[in-house]
Amino acid sequence: MTLKSLLKTLLSMPSHYRCLCVSHLFGWMAFLSNMLFFTDFMGQVVYQGSPYASHNSTLYHTYRRGVEVGCWGLCINAIASSAYSYLQKVLLPYIGLKGLYFSGYLLFGLGTGLIGLFPNVYSTLVLCSLFGVMSSTLYTVPFQLIAEYHKEEEDMNLQQKEQGTEHGRGKGIDCAALTCMVQLAQIILGVGLGLLVSVAGSAVTVISASMVALIGCCFVAFCVRYV
């Protein structure tokens, strides 16, 4: 593998691989825009505290309490992600990869939207479980689709007696391209979301996450190819 062959492989990527990368980018942008500012959202919006108040004031201590509760929300996210990863095995025969992919984005979009519209402590903590559904979906379903694409291509090569030719694609480069969407999402959010939060407040993060997730949901339903 040389740099030239690497770039050639990326540029010649089939359209269904590109669509999968775009959907993965939408998913990570939605997920990270919520997770990066979630504890601040809990402190400022849900608990009505202020990080800018003097450190001996009630507002500041209220904000710190909100951040602590937000950390528990992230723990709920981690537990739900682990549990849902096992549940996917049960759901897969019934709803397939498309159902898993679509429902992960949809539930996350609805959950973050409800948190933004109704910032209540208990409902927010309950809805944190939907973050785990999205997290598990992002770490599993796109890579399962990559495996399905390659399995289909290998079957076609066997039928045409061309298996192992130099024109075959490797799974590694496609998985790497998919993983790069995480870093690209971080760059995009790093450029724009911090400024948006400073102007409009932390509430904008969950609303942005909801909107991007629901756009990604439509993209997953209509543009991603399923074998």
Side-chain angles (χ1 to χ4, degrees), residues 35-49:
M35 301 303 285
L36 291 174
F37 293 92
F38 181 71
T39 52
D40 184 64
F41 170 80
M42 286 291 290
Q44 290 202 61
V45 179
V46 178
Y47 271 79
Q48 298 293 314

Side-chain angles (χ1 to χ4, degrees), residues 84-100:
Y84 185 71
S85 295
Y86 285 99
L87 186 61
Q88 281 184 345
K89 297 178 182 179
V90 179
L91 295 175
L92 184 59
Y94 298 99
I95 63 176
L97 287 176
K98 184 174 184 178
L100 287 175

